[in-house]
Amino acid sequence: MPAYIQYHSTEPAVIVCPHCLGLPLHIDNVEPIWSAARIDIVYACDECGTEVRETMTQPERRH
């Protein structure tokens, strides 16, 4: 099962641009990293082009 399926119920947080007076960023790219069970989400600003990368890891499974 692909790693990104584990995150389908997680709502991404609203990220604001650190350079443009708090304008919200949009999701530019989602990069699943299969070997580490994590996802890198790349946010981009329409005004200045700043990119912010956020890494989400798969939570531990508890039985």
Side-chain angles (χ1 to χ4, degrees):
M1 177 180 289
Y4 65 87
I5 290 175
Q6 301 296 322
Y7 302 102
H8 73 280
S9 63
T10 303
E11 187 70 28
V14 175
I15 306 293
V16 295
C17 182
H19 302 291
C20 293
L21 303 174
L23 293 174
L25 301 177
H26 69 276
I27 295 176
D28 188 45
N29 195 8
V30 177
E31 302 171 352
I33 300 173
W34 305 111
S35 62
R38 70 178 198 213
I39 296 176
D40 286 340
I41 301 173
V42 179
Y43 296 92
C45 179
D46 289 331
E47 294 293 321
C48 68
T50 299
E51 290 188 353
V52 176
R53 182 176 300 262
E54 178 183 37
T55 301
M56 297 178 70
T57 58
Q58 183 177 8
E60 295 277 330
R61 294 187 109 178
R62 296 182 185 185
H63 295 300

PDB file of all heavy atoms in Angstrom, residues 1 3-5 8-9 12 15 18-19 22 24 26 28-30 34 36-37 39-40 42-46 53 56:
ATOM      1  N   MET A   1       0.848  -1.172   0.000  1.00  0.00           N
ATOM      2  CA  MET A   1       0.000   0.000   0.000  1.00  0.00           C
ATOM      3  C   MET A   1       0.895   1.237   0.000  1.00  0.00           C
ATOM      4  O   MET A   1       1.792   1.363   0.810  1.00  0.00           O
ATOM      5  CB  MET A   1      -0.879  -0.019   1.249  1.00  0.00           C
ATOM      6  CG  MET A   1      -1.760   1.195   1.376  1.00  0.00           C
ATOM      7  SD  MET A   1      -2.804   1.174   2.841  1.00  0.00           S
ATOM      8  CE  MET A   1      -3.936  -0.088   2.385  1.00  0.00           C
ATOM      9  N   ALA A   3       2.474   4.879   0.647  1.00  0.00           N
ATOM     10  CA  ALA A   3       2.549   5.657   1.886  1.00  0.00           C
ATOM     11  C   ALA A   3       1.560   6.809   1.907  1.00  0.00           C
ATOM     12  O   ALA A   3       1.020   7.153   2.944  1.00  0.00           O
ATOM     13  CB  ALA A   3       3.964   6.191   2.077  1.00  0.00           C
ATOM     14  N   TYR A   4       1.277   7.424   0.762  1.00  0.00           N
ATOM     15  CA  TYR A   4       0.420   8.617   0.758  1.00  0.00           C
ATOM     16  C   TYR A   4      -1.031   8.304   1.067  1.00  0.00           C
ATOM     17  O   TYR A   4      -1.784   9.182   1.439  1.00  0.00           O
ATOM     18  CB  TYR A   4       0.537   9.373  -0.559  1.00  0.00           C
ATOM     19  CG  TYR A   4       0.031   8.627  -1.768  1.00  0.00           C
ATOM     20  CD1 TYR A   4      -1.302   8.684  -2.130  1.00  0.00           C
ATOM     21  CD2 TYR A   4       0.898   7.881  -2.542  1.00  0.00           C
ATOM     22  CE1 TYR A   4      -1.757   8.007  -3.234  1.00  0.00           C
ATOM     23  CE2 TYR A   4       0.451   7.202  -3.637  1.00  0.00           C
ATOM     24  CZ  TYR A   4      -0.879   7.265  -3.989  1.00  0.00           C
ATOM     25  OH  TYR A   4      -1.326   6.597  -5.075  1.00  0.00           O
ATOM     26  N   ILE A   5      -1.456   7.061   0.946  1.00  0.00           N
ATOM     27  CA  ILE A   5      -2.838   6.695   1.266  1.00  0.00           C
ATOM     28  C   ILE A   5      -3.123   6.911   2.748  1.00  0.00           C
ATOM     29  O   ILE A   5      -4.224   7.250   3.130  1.00  0.00           O
ATOM     30  CB  ILE A   5      -3.121   5.248   0.848  1.00  0.00           C
ATOM     31  CG1 ILE A   5      -3.138   5.163  -0.678  1.00  0.00           C
ATOM     32  CG2 ILE A   5      -4.444   4.755   1.411  1.00  0.00           C
ATOM     33  CD1 ILE A   5      -3.299   3.780  -1.211  1.00  0.00           C
ATOM     34  N   HIS A   8      -4.781  10.527   3.578  1.00  0.00           N
ATOM     35  CA  HIS A   8      -5.926  11.073   2.862  1.00  0.00           C
ATOM     36  C   HIS A   8      -6.933  11.753   3.771  1.00  0.00           C
ATOM     37  O   HIS A   8      -7.659  12.627   3.338  1.00  0.00           O
ATOM     38  CB  HIS A   8      -6.618   9.982   2.037  1.00  0.00           C
ATOM     39  CG  HIS A   8      -7.382   9.004   2.862  1.00  0.00           C
ATOM     40  ND1 HIS A   8      -6.768   7.959   3.517  1.00  0.00           N
ATOM     41  CD2 HIS A   8      -8.691   8.920   3.156  1.00  0.00           C
ATOM     42  CE1 HIS A   8      -7.687   7.270   4.179  1.00  0.00           C
ATOM     43  NE2 HIS A   8      -8.853   7.826   3.978  1.00  0.00           N
ATOM     44  N   SER A   9      -6.967  11.421   5.049  1.00  0.00           N
ATOM     45  CA  SER A   9      -7.918  12.051   5.960  1.00  0.00           C
ATOM     46  C   SER A   9      -7.318  13.257   6.683  1.00  0.00           C
ATOM     47  O   SER A   9      -8.016  13.947   7.401  1.00  0.00           O
ATOM     48  CB  SER A   9      -8.412  11.041   6.988  1.00  0.00           C
ATOM     49  OG  SER A   9      -7.348  10.606   7.784  1.00  0.00           O
ATOM     50  N   PRO A  12      -4.375  19.480   5.307  1.00  0.00           N
ATOM     51  CA  PRO A  12      -3.144  20.264   5.424  1.00  0.00           C
ATOM     52  C   PRO A  12      -3.400  21.591   6.135  1.00  0.00           C
ATOM     53  O   PRO A  12      -4.461  22.194   5.990  1.00  0.00           O
ATOM     54  CB  PRO A  12      -2.708  20.485   3.980  1.00  0.00           C
ATOM     55  CG  PRO A  12      -3.859  20.122   3.138  1.00  0.00           C
ATOM     56  CD  PRO A  12      -4.795  19.282   3.945  1.00  0.00           C
ATOM     57  N   ILE A  15      -0.646  27.542   5.584  1.00  0.00           N
ATOM     58  CA  ILE A  15       0.700  28.085   5.737  1.00  0.00           C
ATOM     59  C   ILE A  15       0.705  29.482   5.126  1.00  0.00           C
ATOM     60  O   ILE A  15       0.197  29.687   4.025  1.00  0.00           O
ATOM     61  CB  ILE A  15       1.738  27.196   5.012  1.00  0.00           C
ATOM     62  CG1 ILE A  15       1.642  25.746   5.458  1.00  0.00           C
ATOM     63  CG2 ILE A  15       3.140  27.743   5.202  1.00  0.00           C
ATOM     64  CD1 ILE A  15       2.045  25.510   6.894  1.00  0.00           C
ATOM     65  N   PRO A  18       6.165  33.927   4.725  1.00  0.00           N
ATOM     66  CA  PRO A  18       6.941  34.699   5.695  1.00  0.00           C
ATOM     67  C   PRO A  18       7.398  36.056   5.153  1.00  0.00           C
ATOM     68  O   PRO A  18       7.816  36.910   5.918  1.00  0.00           O
ATOM     69  CB  PRO A  18       8.147  33.796   5.985  1.00  0.00           C
ATOM     70  CG  PRO A  18       8.268  32.920   4.793  1.00  0.00           C
ATOM     71  CD  PRO A  18       6.878  32.753   4.249  1.00  0.00           C
ATOM     72  N   HIS A  19       7.287  36.286   3.838  1.00  0.00           N
ATOM     73  CA  HIS A  19       7.767  37.525   3.226  1.00  0.00           C
ATOM     74  C   HIS A  19       6.657  38.481   2.794  1.00  0.00           C
ATOM     75  O   HIS A  19       6.903  39.663   2.627  1.00  0.00           O
ATOM     76  CB  HIS A  19       8.633  37.207   2.007  1.00  0.00           C
ATOM     77  CG  HIS A  19       9.804  36.343   2.327  1.00  0.00           C
ATOM     78  ND1 HIS A  19      10.873  36.776   3.066  1.00  0.00           N
ATOM     79  CD2 HIS A  19      10.057  35.052   2.040  1.00  0.00           C
ATOM     80  CE1 HIS A  19      11.740  35.794   3.200  1.00  0.00           C
ATOM     81  NE2 HIS A  19      11.270  34.734   2.592  1.00  0.00           N
ATOM     82  N   GLY A  22       1.821  37.825   5.346  1.00  0.00           N
ATOM     83  CA  GLY A  22       0.920  36.771   5.778  1.00  0.00           C
ATOM     84  C   GLY A  22      -0.047  36.254   4.731  1.00  0.00           C
ATOM     85  O   GLY A  22      -1.076  35.691   5.072  1.00  0.00           O
ATOM     86  N   PRO A  24      -1.691  33.657   2.270  1.00  0.00           N
ATOM     87  CA  PRO A  24      -1.668  32.185   2.331  1.00  0.00           C
ATOM     88  C   PRO A  24      -0.935  31.588   1.130  1.00  0.00           C
ATOM     89  O   PRO A  24      -1.007  32.113   0.018  1.00  0.00           O
ATOM     90  CB  PRO A  24      -3.144  31.802   2.324  1.00  0.00           C
ATOM     91  CG  PRO A  24      -3.851  32.960   1.746  1.00  0.00           C
ATOM     92  CD  PRO A  24      -3.033  34.177   2.070  1.00  0.00           C
ATOM     93  N   HIS A  26      -0.183  28.298  -1.490  1.00  0.00           N
ATOM     94  CA  HIS A  26      -0.921  27.185  -2.075  1.00  0.00           C
ATOM     95  C   HIS A  26       0.018  25.980  -2.204  1.00  0.00           C
ATOM     96  O   HIS A  26       1.240  26.137  -2.239  1.00  0.00           O
ATOM     97  CB  HIS A  26      -1.514  27.555  -3.441  1.00  0.00           C
ATOM     98  CG  HIS A  26      -0.478  27.736  -4.510  1.00  0.00           C
ATOM     99  ND1 HIS A  26       0.193  28.924  -4.692  1.00  0.00           N
ATOM    100  CD2 HIS A  26       0.005  26.884  -5.438  1.00  0.00           C
ATOM    101  CE1 HIS A  26       1.042  28.787  -5.689  1.00  0.00           C
ATOM    102  NE2 HIS A  26       0.954  27.557  -6.160  1.00  0.00           N
ATOM    103  N   ASP A  28       2.029  23.474  -4.019  1.00  0.00           N
ATOM    104  CA  ASP A  28       2.631  23.447  -5.340  1.00  0.00           C
ATOM    105  C   ASP A  28       2.969  22.026  -5.767  1.00  0.00           C
ATOM    106  O   ASP A  28       2.837  21.674  -6.934  1.00  0.00           O
ATOM    107  CB  ASP A  28       3.891  24.315  -5.349  1.00  0.00           C
ATOM    108  CG  ASP A  28       4.460  24.499  -6.732  1.00  0.00           C
ATOM    109  OD1 ASP A  28       3.682  24.768  -7.661  1.00  0.00           O
ATOM    110  OD2 ASP A  28       5.696  24.375  -6.882  1.00  0.00           O
ATOM    111  N   ASN A  29       3.423  21.193  -4.825  1.00  0.00           N
ATOM    112  CA  ASN A  29       3.852  19.843  -5.156  1.00  0.00           C
ATOM    113  C   ASN A  29       3.753  18.957  -3.922  1.00  0.00           C
ATOM    114  O   ASN A  29       3.954  19.421  -2.803  1.00  0.00           O
ATOM    115  CB  ASN A  29       5.293  19.866  -5.679  1.00  0.00           C
ATOM    116  CG  ASN A  29       5.683  18.583  -6.366  1.00  0.00           C
ATOM    117  OD1 ASN A  29       4.854  17.715  -6.600  1.00  0.00           O
ATOM    118  ND2 ASN A  29       6.955  18.463  -6.688  1.00  0.00           N
ATOM    119  N   VAL A  30       3.456  17.680  -4.136  1.00  0.00           N
ATOM    120  CA  VAL A  30       3.444  16.680  -3.071  1.00  0.00           C
ATOM    121  C   VAL A  30       4.395  15.582  -3.500  1.00  0.00           C
ATOM    122  O   VAL A  30       4.231  15.001  -4.574  1.00  0.00           O
ATOM    123  CB  VAL A  30       2.028  16.116  -2.839  1.00  0.00           C
ATOM    124  CG1 VAL A  30       2.051  15.021  -1.792  1.00  0.00           C
ATOM    125  CG2 VAL A  30       1.067  17.223  -2.445  1.00  0.00           C
ATOM    126  N   TRP A  34       8.920   6.954  -0.471  1.00  0.00           N
ATOM    127  CA  TRP A  34       8.464   5.595  -0.174  1.00  0.00           C
ATOM    128  C   TRP A  34       9.307   4.905   0.885  1.00  0.00           C
ATOM    129  O   TRP A  34       8.772   4.215   1.749  1.00  0.00           O
ATOM    130  CB  TRP A  34       8.460   4.758  -1.456  1.00  0.00           C
ATOM    131  CG  TRP A  34       7.649   5.395  -2.516  1.00  0.00           C
ATOM    132  CD1 TRP A  34       8.119   5.948  -3.670  1.00  0.00           C
ATOM    133  CD2 TRP A  34       6.236   5.589  -2.532  1.00  0.00           C
ATOM    134  NE1 TRP A  34       7.084   6.480  -4.399  1.00  0.00           N
ATOM    135  CE2 TRP A  34       5.919   6.261  -3.727  1.00  0.00           C
ATOM    136  CE3 TRP A  34       5.213   5.266  -1.667  1.00  0.00           C
ATOM    137  CZ2 TRP A  34       4.616   6.597  -4.063  1.00  0.00           C
ATOM    138  CZ3 TRP A  34       3.923   5.608  -2.008  1.00  0.00           C
ATOM    139  CH2 TRP A  34       3.629   6.259  -3.185  1.00  0.00           C
ATOM    140  N   ALA A  36      10.904   6.033   3.455  1.00  0.00           N
ATOM    141  CA  ALA A  36      10.849   6.577   4.810  1.00  0.00           C
ATOM    142  C   ALA A  36       9.424   6.776   5.313  1.00  0.00           C
ATOM    143  O   ALA A  36       9.236   7.284   6.399  1.00  0.00           O
ATOM    144  CB  ALA A  36      11.597   7.902   4.857  1.00  0.00           C
ATOM    145  N   ALA A  37       8.412   6.382   4.532  1.00  0.00           N
ATOM    146  CA  ALA A  37       6.995   6.521   4.908  1.00  0.00           C
ATOM    147  C   ALA A  37       6.682   7.956   5.339  1.00  0.00           C
ATOM    148  O   ALA A  37       6.133   8.205   6.396  1.00  0.00           O
ATOM    149  CB  ALA A  37       6.618   5.540   5.992  1.00  0.00           C
ATOM    150  N   ILE A  39       5.840  12.180   3.597  1.00  0.00           N
ATOM    151  CA  ILE A  39       5.446  12.987   2.451  1.00  0.00           C
ATOM    152  C   ILE A  39       6.011  14.388   2.643  1.00  0.00           C
ATOM    153  O   ILE A  39       5.893  14.966   3.716  1.00  0.00           O
ATOM    154  CB  ILE A  39       3.913  13.074   2.338  1.00  0.00           C
ATOM    155  CG1 ILE A  39       3.326  11.699   2.064  1.00  0.00           C
ATOM    156  CG2 ILE A  39       3.498  14.045   1.252  1.00  0.00           C
ATOM    157  CD1 ILE A  39       1.815  11.686   2.037  1.00  0.00           C
ATOM    158  N   ASP A  40       6.619  14.920   1.601  1.00  0.00           N
ATOM    159  CA  ASP A  40       7.059  16.314   1.599  1.00  0.00           C
ATOM    160  C   ASP A  40       6.036  17.118   0.815  1.00  0.00           C
ATOM    161  O   ASP A  40       5.763  16.814  -0.356  1.00  0.00           O
ATOM    162  CB  ASP A  40       8.436  16.466   0.950  1.00  0.00           C
ATOM    163  CG  ASP A  40       9.552  15.965   1.845  1.00  0.00           C
ATOM    164  OD1 ASP A  40       9.339  15.867   3.061  1.00  0.00           O
ATOM    165  OD2 ASP A  40      10.635  15.677   1.320  1.00  0.00           O
ATOM    166  N   VAL A  42       5.215  20.794  -0.708  1.00  0.00           N
ATOM    167  CA  VAL A  42       5.871  22.040  -1.078  1.00  0.00           C
ATOM    168  C   VAL A  42       4.786  23.088  -1.311  1.00  0.00           C
ATOM    169  O   VAL A  42       3.923  22.924  -2.160  1.00  0.00           O
ATOM    170  CB  VAL A  42       6.731  21.871  -2.344  1.00  0.00           C
ATOM    171  CG1 VAL A  42       7.391  23.186  -2.716  1.00  0.00           C
ATOM    172  CG2 VAL A  42       7.769  20.783  -2.145  1.00  0.00           C
ATOM    173  N   TYR A  43       4.821  24.157  -0.507  1.00  0.00           N
ATOM    174  CA  TYR A  43       3.899  25.282  -0.637  1.00  0.00           C
ATOM    175  C   TYR A  43       4.612  26.398  -1.384  1.00  0.00           C
ATOM    176  O   TYR A  43       5.818  26.573  -1.214  1.00  0.00           O
ATOM    177  CB  TYR A  43       3.476  25.807   0.738  1.00  0.00           C
ATOM    178  CG  TYR A  43       2.698  24.819   1.559  1.00  0.00           C
ATOM    179  CD1 TYR A  43       3.334  23.964   2.445  1.00  0.00           C
ATOM    180  CD2 TYR A  43       1.317  24.756   1.476  1.00  0.00           C
ATOM    181  CE1 TYR A  43       2.617  23.069   3.214  1.00  0.00           C
ATOM    182  CE2 TYR A  43       0.593  23.860   2.240  1.00  0.00           C
ATOM    183  CZ  TYR A  43       1.245  23.015   3.113  1.00  0.00           C
ATOM    184  OH  TYR A  43       0.541  22.135   3.867  1.00  0.00           O
ATOM    185  N   ALA A  44       3.877  27.158  -2.202  1.00  0.00           N
ATOM    186  CA  ALA A  44       4.485  28.258  -2.959  1.00  0.00           C
ATOM    187  C   ALA A  44       3.623  29.506  -2.832  1.00  0.00           C
ATOM    188  O   ALA A  44       2.410  29.431  -2.697  1.00  0.00           O
ATOM    189  CB  ALA A  44       4.638  27.876  -4.415  1.00  0.00           C
ATOM    190  N   CYS A  45       4.283  30.664  -2.899  1.00  0.00           N
ATOM    191  CA  CYS A  45       3.604  31.953  -2.841  1.00  0.00           C
ATOM    192  C   CYS A  45       3.449  32.496  -4.255  1.00  0.00           C
ATOM    193  O   CYS A  45       4.406  32.497  -5.032  1.00  0.00           O
ATOM    194  CB  CYS A  45       4.413  32.936  -1.991  1.00  0.00           C
ATOM    195  SG  CYS A  45       3.666  34.578  -1.885  1.00  0.00           S
ATOM    196  N   ASP A  46       2.243  32.947  -4.598  1.00  0.00           N
ATOM    197  CA  ASP A  46       1.997  33.508  -5.925  1.00  0.00           C
ATOM    198  C   ASP A  46       2.673  34.862  -6.108  1.00  0.00           C
ATOM    199  O   ASP A  46       3.059  35.222  -7.220  1.00  0.00           O
ATOM    200  CB  ASP A  46       0.497  33.666  -6.172  1.00  0.00           C
ATOM    201  CG  ASP A  46      -0.190  32.332  -6.356  1.00  0.00           C
ATOM    202  OD1 ASP A  46       0.464  31.376  -6.824  1.00  0.00           O
ATOM    203  OD2 ASP A  46      -1.392  32.243  -6.038  1.00  0.00           O
ATOM    204  N   ARG A  53       8.719  24.026   2.515  1.00  0.00           N
ATOM    205  CA  ARG A  53       8.581  22.572   2.493  1.00  0.00           C
ATOM    206  C   ARG A  53       8.169  22.087   3.883  1.00  0.00           C
ATOM    207  O   ARG A  53       8.783  22.443   4.875  1.00  0.00           O
ATOM    208  CB  ARG A  53       9.885  21.921   2.070  1.00  0.00           C
ATOM    209  CG  ARG A  53       9.837  20.424   1.956  1.00  0.00           C
ATOM    210  CD  ARG A  53      11.154  19.880   1.437  1.00  0.00           C
ATOM    211  NE  ARG A  53      11.465  20.422   0.128  1.00  0.00           N
ATOM    212  CZ  ARG A  53      11.220  19.796  -1.020  1.00  0.00           C
ATOM    213  NH1 ARG A  53      10.655  18.615  -1.004  1.00  0.00           N
ATOM    214  NH2 ARG A  53      11.539  20.343  -2.161  1.00  0.00           N
ATOM    215  N   MET A  56       5.590  15.479   6.456  1.00  0.00           N
ATOM    216  CA  MET A  56       4.655  14.744   7.304  1.00  0.00           C
ATOM    217  C   MET A  56       5.132  13.300   7.371  1.00  0.00           C
ATOM    218  O   MET A  56       5.439  12.701   6.345  1.00  0.00           O
ATOM    219  CB  MET A  56       3.241  14.784   6.720  1.00  0.00           C
ATOM    220  CG  MET A  56       2.662  16.174   6.639  1.00  0.00           C
ATOM    221  SD  MET A  56       1.039  16.194   5.889  1.00  0.00           S
ATOM    222  CE  MET A  56       0.086  15.404   7.165  1.00  0.00           C
TER     223      MET A  56
END
